[in-house]
Amino acid sequence: MKKAPILWVKHIVLIFFSLSMVFPFLWMVISALKTKDEIWQFPPTLWPNKPMWHHFADAWAMAPFDQYIFNSIFTASAIVLIQVVNSALIAYAFTQLRFKGRNLLFSIILITYMLPVAATYVPSYVILADFNLLDTYSGLILSNAASVFGIFLFRQAFLQVPKELIEAARVDGARHWTIIWKIIFPTTKATFITFSLISFVQNYNNYLWPTLITRSESKYLITTGLRQFFIQEGAYGMQWPLIMAASAFTVLPLLILFVFVQKWIISGISDQGLKG
């Protein structure tokens, strides 16, 4: 009974922060249902007098959002697959193999994580241009094929796998791939799913780099396409209800994805330790 007031306070605080996090998205959806005058009305109204549900269909028809969303989902999925394989194999080498300069090499990789991302744009652009990969799906995917964060995350997870299991597998004649697939992966599955989700969201929302290397509208990601919609059909922010509608259904794939994998990402975050 004495803990009841404390629990009530905790619940109220959590509810407050939860609502504050979801409120911008709710406001975006509600604004999409308003008229332009209602959006600028003060004091603001929480619900329009007559919801304009057709704004979503109008915004969808005014630009090839289906192509934009496909481009983002396709490139993000391919990048996630490559990053997961690369990061897992590199992390396995750092945790299970013994070779000279291992710690030094890992330190160098971590140092590269401190570099500003913008500092890599010029050399990366030149490399893609030399290989004729500008304005291509391959350029978008290969230029994001490595993830320092993924290497670090998988390394920390692999260090928590009991060494006895791995040694027993080696005694039984298991090869490296068998150890990764049969022992390490089942033990650290939550980490794989957590990183996949984080990487997918990051690449789905990526804006500056894809804008620099893509010129064709057919290759635009959703972030670039949304900006183009804002400039052209949105008339530089004059058609805010349509802009809000477009922004709402571009976020929808990420919300659906999170609903299905939220238990895994929570489990993956809670399982991460600081074992070195």
Side-chain angles (χ1 to χ4, degrees):
M1 294 298 294
K2 293 181 179 180
K3 294 182 178 180
I6 299 177
L7 292 176
W8 275 104
V9 172
K10 289 182 178 179
H11 287 143
I12 292 174
V13 171
L14 291 174
I15 291 173
F16 171 78
F17 281 106
S18 298
L19 292 176
S20 64
M21 294 294 292
V22 76
F23 179 77
F25 177 76
L26 294 177
W27 187 257
M28 179 175 61
V29 175
I30 294 173
S31 297
L33 302 176
K34 296 180 179 180
T35 63
K36 184 170 63 175
D37 294 334
E38 286 177 325
I39 287 182
W40 295 106
Q41 181 179 341
F42 186 84
T45 57
L46 293 178
W47 190 256
N49 293 327
K50 184 181 179 182
M52 302 293 181
W53 296 101
H54 62 86
H55 282 165
F56 292 97
D58 293 344
W60 184 269
M62 293 174 69
F65 283 105
D66 54 343
Q67 184 66 44
Y68 299 156
I69 294 177
F70 168 78
N71 292 341
S72 293
I73 293 178
F74 171 71
T75 56
S77 300
I79 291 170
V80 168
L81 179 62
I82 295 174
Q83 285 186 351
V84 166
V85 174
N86 287 342
S87 301
L89 293 179
I90 295 173
Y92 178 84
F94 280 128
T95 56
Q96 306 302 327
L97 303 181
R98 297 291 182 266
F99 54 90
K100 292 183 178 181
R102 184 183 64 170
N103 294 331
L104 176 61
L105 181 58
F106 182 70
S107 299
I108 294 174
I109 292 176
L110 290 183
I111 290 173
T112 62
Y113 193 60
M114 302 178 187
L115 291 174
V117 178
T120 65
Y121 285 169
V122 172
S124 298
Y125 187 93
V126 172
I127 293 173
L128 292 181
D130 291 339
F131 285 94
N132 296 320
L133 293 177
L134 294 177
D135 198 29
T136 63
Y137 290 127
S138 300
L140 287 168
I141 294 171
L142 295 178
S143 60
N144 294 281
S147 173
V148 177
F149 171 73
I151 295 172
F152 174 78
L153 188 68
F154 281 117
R155 176 182 178 272
Q156 295 303 110
F158 291 178
L159 286 173
Q160 299 180 61
V161 178
K163 294 182 179 180
E164 294 77 10
L165 292 177
I166 298 176
E167 293 298 331
R170 288 173 176 168
V171 170
D172 291 338
R175 296 181 178 274
H176 294 304
W177 178 252
T178 304
I179 294 174
I180 294 175
W181 183 246
K182 298 293 185 179
I183 298 177
I184 293 181
F185 174 73
T187 307
T188 60
K189 185 185 297 184
T191 300
F192 279 82
I193 296 177
T194 300
F195 173 73
S196 298
L197 178 61
I198 294 174
S199 179
F200 184 88
V201 172
Q202 180 181 1
N203 288 284
Y204 183 90
N205 292 326
N206 198 5
Y207 168 70
L208 184 55
W209 175 244
T211 303
L212 292 175
I213 66 173
T214 55
R215 304 185 185 93
S216 305
E217 188 177 16
S218 61
K219 299 297 191 303
Y220 283 172
L221 301 188
I222 188 61
T223 50
T224 308
L226 191 60
R227 175 185 177 274
Q228 195 70 12
F229 178 79
F230 175 82
I231 293 175
Q232 295 179 354
E233 283 76 6
Y236 286 96
M238 297 302 293
Q239 299 295 333
W240 278 110
L242 296 179
I243 295 173
M244 292 295 181
S247 301
F249 58 64
T250 56
V251 176
L252 188 60
L254 298 181
L255 295 179
I256 296 175
L257 177 63
F258 181 77
V259 168
F260 284 101
V261 300
Q262 58 176 328
K263 67 175 183 179
W264 290 105
I265 189 172
I266 294 173
S267 176
I269 293 175
S270 62
D271 287 345
Q272 297 310 309
L274 298 176
K275 184 176 179 180

